[in-house]
Amino acid sequence: MSLILNNVTDREIDLLEANNVDWLPTDDYKKDKSIIFMNENEYNKAMKLLNEIKTRY
């Protein structure tokens, strides 16, 4: 399982930070807006949050 998420928007990053999800930018962050999560638990927490906003709007 990949703990990398590509093409992350600024709004999504704000949501992750507001909910204390631990992530770091990848080496290619400026090129493809990809981030990596500290562990699978953080990745799962992020996916739950991001799916919530996609179904709401």
Side-chain angles (χ1 to χ4, degrees):
M1 172 184 227
S2 173
L3 298 179
I4 295 176
L5 188 61
N6 296 319
N7 301 317
V8 182
T9 66
D10 291 336
R11 182 170 180 235
E12 291 169 330
I13 288 174
D14 290 343
L15 177 70
L16 296 177
E17 288 179 349
N19 286 278
N20 298 318
V21 177
D22 290 330
W23 63 274
L24 290 172
T26 63
D27 293 339
D28 294 330
Y29 179 76
K30 288 188 188 277
K31 184 175 89 177
D32 64 6
K33 293 288 240 180
S34 58
I35 60 175
I36 189 164
F37 296 93
M38 298 299 146
N39 55 51
E40 192 172 341
N41 185 41
E42 294 298 315
Y43 176 83
N44 291 335
K45 189 164 52 169
M47 291 299 99
K48 183 178 177 185
L49 289 167
L50 295 176
N51 284 331
E52 282 179 16
I53 66 166
K54 286 182 182 175
T55 57
R56 262 189 226 164
Y57 301 105

